């Protein structure tokens, strides 16, 4: 069984994904996919992490002007990550966090349980405060908006679908209302 988890920033996707994998006795993949892409590409980690979920205006501009001539590093990384995700899914049962794994597996006709985790801004802000080590509401809100916008654009660019739209997932769960433990059990 393959489980993919997409999530809003601060909704607990990493924690829930790890718990689900542990509960089922299967592997959990998140940053591991980036590390494998880095190793395969020969690029440095900060460069890959930046390219992975950030879509620059310059990149979009050059894609529109000269799509055939513009070779985007993000696309190259995406091809590598796609290959890694497909290899993992064919090799073993696992939980894969993010990276449009739901869409990659769907297009490859590999069955998966695709989960989207979300929560209210209030619930997410409490978690984001812990993640970034800040209690400044403006800073927390900006981080949530920036991260979610990057995930939205990344997902839309590479899947042609709207990130977070329930019809793209098997299961959508409000982690703020349900709590992490209940979400783990439902998944």
């Amino acid at each position: 069984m393959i489980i993919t988890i997409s999530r809003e920033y601060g909704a607990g996707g990493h924690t829930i994904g790890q718990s689900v994998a542990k509960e089922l006795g299967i592997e959990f993949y998140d940053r591991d996919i980036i590390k494998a892409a880095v190793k395969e590409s020969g690029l440095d980690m900060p460069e890959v992490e930046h390219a992975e979920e950030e879509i620059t205006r310059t990149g979009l501009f050059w894609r529109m002007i000269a799509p055939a001539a513009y070779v985007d590093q993000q696309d190259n990384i995406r091809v590598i990550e796609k290959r890694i995700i497909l290899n993992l899914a064919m090799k073993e049962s696992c939980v894969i966090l993010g990276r449009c794994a739901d869409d990659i597996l769907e297009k490859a006709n590999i069955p998966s349980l695709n989960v989207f985790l979300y929560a209210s801004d209030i619930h997410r802000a409490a978690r984001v405060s812990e993640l970034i080590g800040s209690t400044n509401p403006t800073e927390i809100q900006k981080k949530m908006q920036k991260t979610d916008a990057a995930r939205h654009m990344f997902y839309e660019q590479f899947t042609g679908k709207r990130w977070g739209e329930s019809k793209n997932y098997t299961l959508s769960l409000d982690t703020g209302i349900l709590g992490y433990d209940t979400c783990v059990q439902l998944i």
Side-chain angles (χ1 to χ4, degrees):
M1 163 174 263
I2 310 301
I3 299 169
T4 70
I5 297 178
S6 299
R7 75 284 185 215
E8 290 181 329
Y9 185 61
H14 190 89
T15 302
I16 291 169
Q18 282 183 318
S19 296
V20 167
K22 184 178 179 183
E23 190 87 13
L24 295 173
I26 61 178
E27 292 297 319
F28 172 73
Y29 295 103
D30 182 14
R31 293 281 178 221
D32 310 52
I33 295 169
I34 296 176
K35 288 176 186 172
V38 169
K39 187 176 181 181
E40 190 171 326
S41 70
L43 301 170
D44 68 352
M45 187 65 146
E47 189 176 357
V48 172
E49 285 178 329
H50 176 73
E52 192 202 32
E53 284 194 6
E54 292 289 329
I55 298 172
T56 64
R57 292 181 198 269
T58 306
L60 290 173
F61 172 77
W62 282 110
R63 254 179 240 246
M64 290 186 294
I65 300 295
Y70 181 70
V71 178
D72 189 3
Q73 186 175 38
Q74 192 176 49
D75 289 335
N76 294 334
I77 293 165
R78 194 72 195 121
V79 168
I80 294 167
E81 284 186 348
K82 178 180 175 182
R83 186 169 48 245
I84 292 165
I85 288 167
L86 290 172
N87 287 339
L88 291 172
M90 289 188 270
K91 181 178 86 169
E92 64 186 348
S93 292
C94 61
V95 176
I96 303 172
L97 186 67
R99 278 123 200 107
C100 305
D102 58 313
D103 187 70
I104 291 168
L105 297 174
E106 178 186 339
K107 288 177 178 166
N109 292 314
I110 298 173
S112 60
L113 174 70
N114 303 315
V115 180
F116 186 80
L117 301 175
Y118 64 96
S120 70
D121 284 354
I122 293 169
H123 283 99
R124 293 189 310 129
R127 176 71 179 132
V128 171
S129 175
E130 293 173 17
L131 292 172
I132 67 172
S134 173
T135 57
N136 180 317
T138 303
E139 186 178 346
I140 292 167
Q141 189 66 31
K142 282 182 182 177
K143 181 66 175 171
M144 286 170 37
Q145 289 173 346
K146 181 180 179 187
T147 303
D148 283 348
R151 287 178 179 172
H152 170 81
M153 292 200 48
F154 182 82
Y155 189 82
E156 193 170 300
Q157 178 186 358
F158 290 108
T159 69
K161 300 176 188 173
R162 187 178 159 110
W163 178 72
E165 190 170 302
S166 62
K167 70 180 182 178
N168 297 331
Y169 308 95
T170 315
L171 186 62
S172 293
L173 301 172
D174 185 329
T175 64
I177 290 178
L178 296 171
Y180 289 13
D181 291 339
T182 300
C183 289
V184 170
Q185 293 308 307
L186 287 170
I187 296 169

